[in-house]
Amino acid sequence: MAGSGRRPEHRGPPELFYDETEARKYTQNSRVVEIQSQMSERAVELLGLPEDHPCLLLDVGCGSGLSGDYISEEGHYWIGMDISRAMLDVAVEREVEGDLLLADVGHGIPFRPGMFDGCISISAVQWLCNADKKSHSPPKRLYRFFSTLYTALARGSRAVLQLYPENSEQLELITAQAMRAGFTGGMVVDYPNSAKAKKFFLCLFVGTSGTLPKGLGTECANEELHQAKFTNERTRFRNVKGKSVKKSRDWILEKKERRRRQGKEVRADTKYTGRKRRPHF
């Protein structure tokens, strides 16, 4: 269940809250899409993946595939897990490039050992702290999730989990179960002095003790200015690397070519590909 960029209110399990109507509203909200893209970009950056080398990533709580879109744009492959069928239905309609699995991550990560080069999760892990059924034990569900995730990740890889903890106790519970499962690492906090921009990223290492990345905005008095500067620099860097501007004709052609390589059915390219449609009145 991918996050909206604001602290979610707990109104029952995500598979019930995100019904078909909520899933569509969520995915069509431009503000949600923008924040989701920013947090996904930051999470992938914290993974420290090798450049010019496609990796296979796991997206926990992938929702309608908004975070997966960014992974695909960076040239990586991904598999997404989510407990909400309605969210995954929207992802299928959007023709995301990743593979999708309907599953409760509290039951564990059902993939073979060492399969993934990294894992990201946007606003999903805190849901495991809720006991939505009598049989649910948050510590046990968290440990089951982290221990099986540790096994599914390749040695030397990372998992970066963006989350919205309700309080310090919840934060300690999540971190403790991750460390108990074998991970090292810790919490990276971006913009710690800003109530609006503050973000928590649990950065976990598999098999090696890496240096914990530094949080953004820790040395900047003006948080919003620093955030804008960071975003602009990232945009320029992407263009310098030769990547096409999103939604441009070249960007669309590159996306279609990636889908062809994956063996998916794609419409033929024409002179109309990537053209903006005239508005209908």
Side-chain angles (χ1 to χ4, degrees):
M1 179 217 67
S4 62
R6 55 185 170 81
R7 186 179 298 277
E9 296 177 19
H10 179 50
R11 309 178 199 177
E15 68 271 27
L16 297 181
F17 177 63
Y18 285 96
D19 59 14
E20 186 177 345
T21 303
E22 288 293 333
R24 292 184 188 284
K25 281 168 56 179
Y26 177 94
T27 309
Q28 292 168 0
N29 185 314
S30 59
R31 177 62 178 158
V32 166
V33 173
E34 179 187 357
I35 293 174
Q36 185 81 5
S37 179
Q38 290 174 359
M39 292 194 296
S40 302
E41 180 176 348
R42 177 62 169 150
V44 172
E45 179 188 34
L46 290 170
L47 283 179
L49 299 171
E51 286 193 27
D52 303 320
H53 177 72
C55 296
L56 177 62
L57 304 181
L58 177 64
D59 186 356
V60 171
C62 63
S64 56
L66 296 176
S67 46
D69 287 345
Y70 180 76
I71 294 173
S72 296
E73 286 171 25
E74 289 296 292
H76 302 298
Y77 302 99
W78 59 279
I79 296 175
M81 295 178 65
D82 204 282
I83 197 172
S84 170
R85 182 181 293 275
M87 278 290 201
L88 293 179
D89 285 345
V90 174
V92 171
E93 288 176 16
R94 295 180 61 245
E95 298 184 340
V96 298
E97 295 182 31
D99 293 321
L100 305 169
L101 175 64
L102 178 67
D104 178 359
V105 297
H107 293 161
I109 305 298
F111 295 101
R112 62 180 172 79
M115 179 169 173
F116 295 99
D117 302 306
C119 169
I120 70 165
S121 179
I122 307 298
S123 312
V125 174
Q126 72 274 352
W127 289 87
L128 291 174
C129 295
N130 300 320
D132 297 313
K133 299 177 182 177
K134 285 185 178 180
S135 60
H136 282 181
S137 164
K140 288 181 180 179
R141 283 168 58 76
L142 281 163
Y143 178 70
R144 178 68 179 164
F145 164 65
F146 282 119
S147 60
T148 52
L149 175 62
Y150 187 92
T151 301
L153 289 169
R155 298 272 299 179
S157 64
R158 298 182 187 181
V160 177
L161 316 174
Q162 184 275 328
L163 47 89
Y164 289 104
E166 289 185 3
N167 48 50
S168 59
E169 288 79 12
Q170 197 176 82
L171 203 58
E172 288 172 13
L173 173 63
I174 294 170
T175 305
Q177 296 305 315
M179 301 306 161
R180 183 182 164 216
F183 286 104
T184 57
M187 196 66 66
V188 175
V189 184
D190 285 354
Y191 311 107
N193 302 317
S194 169
K196 195 173 182 180
K198 188 176 185 179
K199 294 289 182 296
F200 292 88
F201 293 87
L202 183 58
C203 189
L204 303 172
F205 305 103
V206 181
T208 56
S209 294
T211 303
L212 201 63
K214 198 169 185 178
L216 301 176
T218 54
E219 297 177 351
C220 185
N222 190 328
E223 305 288 352
E224 292 185 357
L225 177 63
H226 189 84
Q227 188 175 30
K229 181 182 178 185
F230 171 77
T231 304
N232 291 338
E233 285 177 352
R234 290 287 297 176
T235 303
R236 287 200 300 272
F237 185 56
R238 278 205 303 272
N239 291 338
V240 166
K241 286 200 292 185
K243 296 193 177 181
S244 305
V245 177
K246 193 169 184 177
K247 303 298 182 184
S248 66
R249 176 179 167 83
D250 288 340
W251 181 86
I252 292 171
L253 290 173
E254 288 167 9
K255 182 173 181 178
K256 290 174 74 173
E257 183 57 34
R258 284 199 304 271
R259 293 177 68 83
R260 289 191 187 99
R261 288 199 299 268
Q262 292 171 2
K264 297 182 179 179
E265 191 173 330
V266 181
R267 289 182 182 178
D269 299 334
T270 70
K271 64 180 181 180
Y272 300 107
T273 300
R275 278 195 185 182
K276 288 190 176 180
R277 298 172 185 267
R278 290 180 179 177
H280 294 283
F281 296 99

